[in-house]
């Protein structure tokens, strides 16, 4: 057998996504290039690694075992690289962070300079909803999680980063009565929700329930970006995190409608399991945050104070 690390990487990605098209997109390769490498890899085994049923690609039981072996080999190669850099006195390793979807507007600013200063550190950031973020933390699949609401049932430590403000937002061109009542904004205007499991949705539903509103829900969308575009298009209004609508406010695509009891204010927290043994890269990142957090907030998020 004469397979390459590149072929192992490609086959592992195909096995994870069960799609050549999706694998090519994630690996930034053309679909024909991925198909050729899969064929070359398959030619070295007498047993099929994949099978196509209808138009769907499936990984055979043998293929799943090869994928597991490929993952172990690639992790060992990565470990060799990390150890080499460590002997050279350079910080190395892998940081895995799970981030709630709105946190994608926050976390990169706290990571950018740290990653530039430590090129030997690899970053894996998964952006999803709160339920999945907490689940990945609970399973010890990540080093850190960025959340705006602390999980109830996990014993965690954390670093508070900055406030998270949620406002009632509409399209800039939507017309309202001169002094709309609080009830009318929620009962007569179509509302757009995030999906179940989203912290933003939970905050929105808690506000509505505490005020005994009977709402007119029109749609449910699975990302803050999708909600924002729906609001801009005039499909409805929503309670949205300020951090995600900065440019839309600046460009006069959306506007904030003053509502008594809003904004809802929570805090962005970077958390980790209290029992977790943090890697040198994770410890270094916490040290970096302790030294630079306030400066980053001042430089990148000072505009939030005006709301």
């Amino acid at each position: 057998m004469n397979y390459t690390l590149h072929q192992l990487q490609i086959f592992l990605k195909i096995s994870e996504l069960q799609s050549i098209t999706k694998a090519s997109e994630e690996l930034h390769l053309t679909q024909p290039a991925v198909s050729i490498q899969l064929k070359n890899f398959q030619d070295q085994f007498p047993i099929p690694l994949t099978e196509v049923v209808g138009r769907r690609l499936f990984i055979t039981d043998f293929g799943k075992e090869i994928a597991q072996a490929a993952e172990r080999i690639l992790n060992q190669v990565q470990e060799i690289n990390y150890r080499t850099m460590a002997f050279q006195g350079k910080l190395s390793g892998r940081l895995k962070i799970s981030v709630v979807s709105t946190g994608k507007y926050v976390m990169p600013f706290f990571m950018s300079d740290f990653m530039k200063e430590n090129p030997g550190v690899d970053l894996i950031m998964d952006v999803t909803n709160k339920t999945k973020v907490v689940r990945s933390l609970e399973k010890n699949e990540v080093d850190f999680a960025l959340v705006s609401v602390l999980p109830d049932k996990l014993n965690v430590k954390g670093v508070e980063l900055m406030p998270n403000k949620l406002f009632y937002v509409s399209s800039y061109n939507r017309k309202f009565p001169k002094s709309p009542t609080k009830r009318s904004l929620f009962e007569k205007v179509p509302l757009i929700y995030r999906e179940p499991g989203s912290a933003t949705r939970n905050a929105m539903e808690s506000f509505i329930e505490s005020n005994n509103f009977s709402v007119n829900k029109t749609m449910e969308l699975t990302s803050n970006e999708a909600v924002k575009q729906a609001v801009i298009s005039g499909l409805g209004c929503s309670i949205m995190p300020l951090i995600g609508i900065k440019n839309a406010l600046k460009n006069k695509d959306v506007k904030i409608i003053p509502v008594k009891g809003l904004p809802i204010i929570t805090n962005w927290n970077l958390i980790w399991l209290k029992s977790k043994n943090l890697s040198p890269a994770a410890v270094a990142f916490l040290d970096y945050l302790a030294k630079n957090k306030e400066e980053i907030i001042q430089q990148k998020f000072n505009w939030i104070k005006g709301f």
Side-chain angles (χ1 to χ4, degrees), residues 227-266:
V227 172
K228 181 170 66 178
Q229 293 304 319
V231 169
I232 291 173
S233 71
L235 286 172
C237 298
S238 190
I239 291 180
M240 300 188 67
L242 177 64
I243 194 72
I245 58 172
K246 177 184 178 182
N247 290 334
L249 286 169
K250 183 179 178 180
N251 296 334
K252 294 187 176 181
D253 293 323
V254 302
K255 59 187 175 184
I256 291 173
I257 307 300
V259 175
K260 186 178 180 181
L262 296 179
I264 300 167
I265 301 178
T266 58

Side-chain angles (χ1 to χ4, degrees), residues 103-114 125 162 243 246 285 288-289 292 296-297 299-301 303:
K104 67 185 178 185
Y105 303 109
V106 176
M107 201 66 228
F109 292 100
F110 289 94
M111 299 293 313
S112 179
D113 285 345
F114 176 80
M125 187 182 298
M162 54 183 277
I243 194 72
K246 177 184 178 182
F285 179 57
Y288 168 82
L289 279 182
N292 298 282
I296 294 169
I297 294 171
Q299 290 181 353
K300 304 297 183 181
F301 300 105
W303 63 273

Side-chain angles (χ1 to χ4, degrees), residues 45-274:
F45 299 95
I47 304 171
L49 300 169
T50 63
E51 59 183 353
V52 177
V53 179
R55 293 187 175 183
R56 291 189 60 190
L57 178 75
F58 293 89
I59 310 300
T60 65
D61 289 342
F62 177 67
K64 291 175 182 177
E65 291 196 19
I66 297 301
Q68 291 173 0
E71 184 174 21
R72 289 194 296 269
I73 292 169
L74 292 170
N75 285 339
Q76 289 172 347
V77 170
Q78 197 67 42
E79 183 65 22
I80 290 172
N81 294 335
Y82 294 151
R83 288 181 181 274
T84 301
M85 297 193 76
F87 268 89
Q88 293 174 326
K90 300 176 182 178
L91 182 66
S92 62
R94 182 179 295 172
L95 273 180
K96 291 185 178 181
I97 304 178
S98 190
V99 177
V100 294
S101 59
T102 310
K104 67 185 178 185
Y105 303 109
V106 176
M107 201 66 228
F109 292 100
F110 289 94
M111 299 293 313
S112 179
D113 285 345
F114 176 80
M115 297 303 297
K116 290 176 184 175
E117 293 169 8
N118 299 284
V121 175
D122 294 326
L123 174 64
I124 299 174
M125 187 182 298
D126 178 41
V127 180
T128 183
N129 67 31
K130 182 194 171 187
T131 299
K132 293 179 180 178
V133 167
V134 173
R135 188 182 303 135
S136 65
L137 188 68
E138 186 176 15
K139 291 182 177 180
N140 197 31
E141 295 173 345
V142 295
D143 298 301
F144 300 112
L146 181 69
V147 295
S148 58
V149 179
L150 294 174
D152 295 327
K153 299 179 181 179
L154 291 183
N155 195 2
V156 299
K157 291 184 176 181
V159 175
E160 186 177 296
L161 297 182
M162 54 183 277
N164 179 42
K165 299 180 180 181
L166 289 85
F167 290 87
Y168 186 99
V169 179
S170 82
S171 166
Y172 190 82
N173 295 320
R174 179 178 284 272
K175 305 299 182 183
F176 291 94
K178 188 173 182 179
S179 299
T181 65
K182 184 175 176 181
R183 184 170 294 277
S184 69
L185 289 173
F186 286 88
E187 295 190 350
K188 294 185 178 181
V189 177
L191 291 181
I192 303 169
Y193 280 61
R194 283 287 307 276
E195 79 285 3
S198 159
T200 299
R201 177 182 177 130
N202 292 343
M204 183 171 172
E205 288 182 330
S206 294
F207 182 79
I208 289 169
E209 289 171 9
S210 68
N211 286 275
N212 295 314
F213 294 145
S214 178
V215 303
N216 180 13
K217 184 173 75 169
T218 58
M219 67 177 63
E220 182 179 288
L221 301 172
T222 58
S223 74
N224 191 70
E225 275 298 311
V227 172
K228 181 170 66 178
Q229 293 304 319
V231 169
I232 291 173
S233 71
L235 286 172
C237 298
S238 190
I239 291 180
M240 300 188 67
L242 177 64
I243 194 72
I245 58 172
K246 177 184 178 182
N247 290 334
L249 286 169
K250 183 179 178 180
N251 296 334
K252 294 187 176 181
D253 293 323
V254 302
K255 59 187 175 184
I256 291 173
I257 307 300
V259 175
K260 186 178 180 181
L262 296 179
I264 300 167
I265 301 178
T266 58
N267 286 292
W268 289 111
N269 287 274
L270 187 72
I271 61 174
W272 62 96
L273 292 176
K274 192 172 183 180

